Amino acid sequence: MAEITYRLDQRRKVLGEFPGPKSVALTRRRQSVVAAGVASSVPVYVADADGGIITDVDGNSFIDLGSGIAVTSVGASDPAVAGAVKEQVEHFTHTCFMVTPYESYIAVAEELNQLTPGDHEKRTVLFNSGAEAVENAVKVARLATGRDAIVAFDHAYHGRTNLTMALTAKAMPYKTNFGPFAPEIYRVPMSYPYREETEIKGEEAARRAITMMEKQIGADSIAAILIEPIQGEGGFIVPADGFLPTLAAWAKDKGVVFIADEVQSGFCRTGEWFAVQHEGVVPDIITMAKGIAGGLPLSAVTGRAELMDAVHPGGLGGTYGGNPVACVAALAAIGSMREYDLAGRAQNIERIVRGTLESLQEQLGDSGIIGEVRGRGAMLAVELVMPGTAHTTKEPNPDATKAIAAACLAEGVVILTCGTYGNVVRLLPPLVIGDELLQDGLDVLAAAIRDANSAPR
Ligand code: PLZ
């Protein structure tokens, strides 16, 4: 396997003042010009980024355990991506694939048709964002089936456009006061093993959702089931084994399109190319974005040829969809994933992270604040609960979660939170991060969790 080389020193460094004066000045400048609705979780401004490091305008170096929300899996300045982009922009930045098409779009479609699960005939269409991919997967499913209803799950996140807000579960900050929402969206229970009242197998959890679909919507009215195989924003929820395969089998039987939203979980993140592969599930349609193009905005919908090609010519598209710069970046990023075996590296990241966090959980014991350590590959999380509730009420602990993220940041570690209850710390390091740097970041996280655990209550 090829060795990864880095351009920036792969070490954490936080200077005295934090945030530094240049970042403080930029925050002030921003406040009078940037809309308040777009918030940033970290109060520093980026100067450079490479491998597992982000540097800021004041000379601090942070360990990146977020990858810009699971995007820069190959790093934020992968030489192959950077080279391909440079070369492309010197020729043409855009012509619009719907006007004067180009080869790289076709090459991305070839890659995705081959990489996504299942050996059936497939077709691909490209867009810019994850939300746009989800919107278009829904368009295809509705048109191909002639049905209206779309089923989404508790804790789901699918985007911020009107249709994808409707598909997203959490009100604040995503939906509150942004309605009215798109109609014909139905929500059914997810399999969330840690929070089930009594232990329930994946198949039973799927039956619970299926009964609801059959009784409250009617199978014949359902165009598609849309699901994140591992839920992202909702809390890195891994459904119980058997949940996804049971739903997929039911969908197949009822002529319901099974859409896997792999916007966050795709492209080696979970230790496989796609998270559905852990359970051998073959979706009819798969939505992709984030990790696909090394940081360039690109998204894709790949699906069964007969569904995708049901749409009339001109029915799908958009000015920038499959922009040529983003397409060559995707081809380069996918190349790097293969060259450096990033799926294998994600599995290695899981071993290292679990080694640290599971032993910490054991040390803190049943009365500690770690409710659960979960996830797959390099999509891992810690769910935090109130002291003494880990095995009883499992009362969420969003305050500790915020305190831990802030403590990590002050020590030079960028870490993200998520979860319906705001009580999950999630780890999404670039897959190219070095073992030592990752361990340093984890040690900082472990210390922050310990501190929160022993903080006065
Ligand atoms: N589907 C599964 O995770 C984006 C959103 C962050 P876009 N997740 C990060 C935020 O607060 O906006 C996401 C996802 C899944 C769809 C999306 C939407 O992708 O590229 O943000 O539109």
Side-chain angles (χ1 to χ4, degrees):
M1 219 35 69
E3 269 295 297
I4 293 167
T5 55
Y6 303 104
R7 187 172 47 78
L8 296 180
D9 188 17
Q10 297 292 296
R11 257 181 307 186
R12 167 171 69 96
K13 181 177 83 183
V14 187
L15 305 167
E17 254 175 297
F18 173 83
K22 289 186 178 151
S23 281
V24 171
L26 283 168
T27 297
R28 214 171 299 126
R29 194 169 138 202
R30 163 198 185 137
Q31 278 160 353
S32 56
V33 289
V34 177
V38 54
S40 304
S41 46
V42 178
V44 303
Y45 288 79
V46 178
D48 206 345
D50 172 47
I53 287 288
I54 298 174
T55 69
D56 78 0
V57 288
D58 292 291
N60 299 300
S61 296
F62 297 88
I63 301 178
D64 180 10
L65 298 184
S67 301
I69 323 189
V71 172
T72 52
S73 299
V74 298
S77 53
D78 176 33
V81 171
V85 166
K86 265 184 228 155
E87 162 95 27
Q88 180 60 42
V89 292
E90 280 168 10
H91 291 281
F92 60 97
T93 55
H94 173 88
T95 61
C96 188
F97 193 76
M98 299 185 307
V99 181
T100 41
Y102 36 87
E103 182 182 354
S104 55
Y105 189 119
I106 301 170
V108 171
E110 285 167 346
E111 281 280 25
L112 300 183
N113 292 358
Q114 189 255 318
L115 281 174
T116 49
D119 49 18
H120 50 277
E121 187 78 10
K122 297 172 201 155
R123 298 288 184 269
T124 288
V125 54
L126 303 178
F127 302 98
N128 306 289
S129 66
E132 223 186 328
V134 172
E135 291 251 0
N136 281 280
V138 168
K139 278 170 69 171
V140 170
R142 281 181 169 154
L143 185 146
T145 59
R147 303 173 181 178
D148 292 334
I150 304 293
V151 174
F153 288 78
D154 285 337
H155 312 287
Y157 183 91
H158 297 291
R160 292 175 180 270
T161 58
N162 186 265
L163 174 59
T164 59
M165 272 195 291
L167 292 161
T168 291
K170 193 173 176 177
M172 206 45 194
Y174 307 122
K175 304 171 74 165
T176 302
N177 297 337
F178 288 134
F181 301 112
E184 284 306 307
I185 306 295
Y186 298 85
R187 194 169 307 287
V188 299
M190 179 62 184
S191 161
Y192 188 164
Y194 180 62
R195 290 198 174 273
E196 297 287 1
E197 303 245 316
T198 53
E199 202 177 309
I200 132 168
K201 290 204 164 54
E203 203 185 318
E204 292 170 63
R207 288 277 145 220
R208 178 175 64 189
I210 288 167
T211 303
M212 206 177 222
M213 289 191 272
E214 289 183 337
K215 300 299 167 205
Q216 298 185 12
I217 316 165
D220 291 350
S221 302
I222 304 176
I225 294 179
L226 169 67
I227 189 162
E228 300 157 84
I230 298 180
Q231 288 182 320
E233 306 305 305
F236 280 29
I237 300 163
V238 185
D241 284 354
F243 182 71
L244 296 171
T246 306
L247 286 175
W250 179 83
K252 187 169 183 210
D253 186 46
K254 303 293 179 191
V256 170
V257 178
F258 186 87
I259 306 173
D261 182 352
E262 293 248 16
V263 164
Q264 189 152 169
S265 56
F267 293 97
C268 303
R269 176 53 56 188
T270 67
E272 295 277 0
W273 279 96
F274 296 98
V276 284
Q277 291 173 288
H278 292 284
E279 286 201 81
V281 168
V282 176
D284 299 310
I285 295 181
I286 178 162
T287 55
M288 296 158 272
K290 291 192 185 273
I292 192 174
L296 277 284
L298 185 75
S299 67
V301 180
T302 297
R304 290 186 184 278
E306 63 273 22
L307 298 174
M308 302 295 288
D309 283 346
V311 180
H312 48 276
L316 302 175
T319 307
Y320 293 112
N323 168 273
V325 182
C327 282
V328 297
L331 295 171
I334 291 168
S336 291
M337 288 175 205
R338 286 202 184 94
E339 190 179 346
Y340 301 113
D341 181 24
L342 293 192
R345 289 185 72 95
Q347 293 164 15
N348 181 55
I349 289 170
E350 175 167 2
R351 280 189 290 274
I352 295 172
V353 173
R354 283 192 183 275
T356 300
L357 295 180
E358 286 174 356
S359 71
L360 176 64
Q361 180 180 21
E362 233 179 83
Q363 286 161 33
L364 300 187
D366 285 355
S367 61
I369 61 172
I370 296 186
E372 188 175 53
V373 176
R374 62 169 174 259
R376 288 193 207 270
M379 186 170 182
L380 296 162
V382 188
E383 175 155 0
L384 297 150
V385 294
M386 297 306 284
T389 69
H391 296 290
T392 55
T393 58
K394 302 170 182 177
E395 193 186 335
N397 195 339
D399 292 339
T401 308
K402 275 188 220 101
I404 290 163
C408 286
L409 191 59
E411 292 293 322
V413 178
V414 172
I415 226 163
L416 306 173
T417 61
C418 64
T420 295
Y421 314 105
N423 68 327
V424 178
V425 167
R426 58 170 153 174
L427 303 175
L428 289 164
L431 304 180
V432 294
I433 194 170
D435 292 359
E436 256 177 67
L437 190 67
L438 174 63
Q439 189 60 58
D440 182 28
L442 289 171
D443 292 343
V444 170
L445 170 62
I449 296 176
R450 263 180 213 289
D451 284 353
N453 189 70
S454 54
R457 287 150 200 161

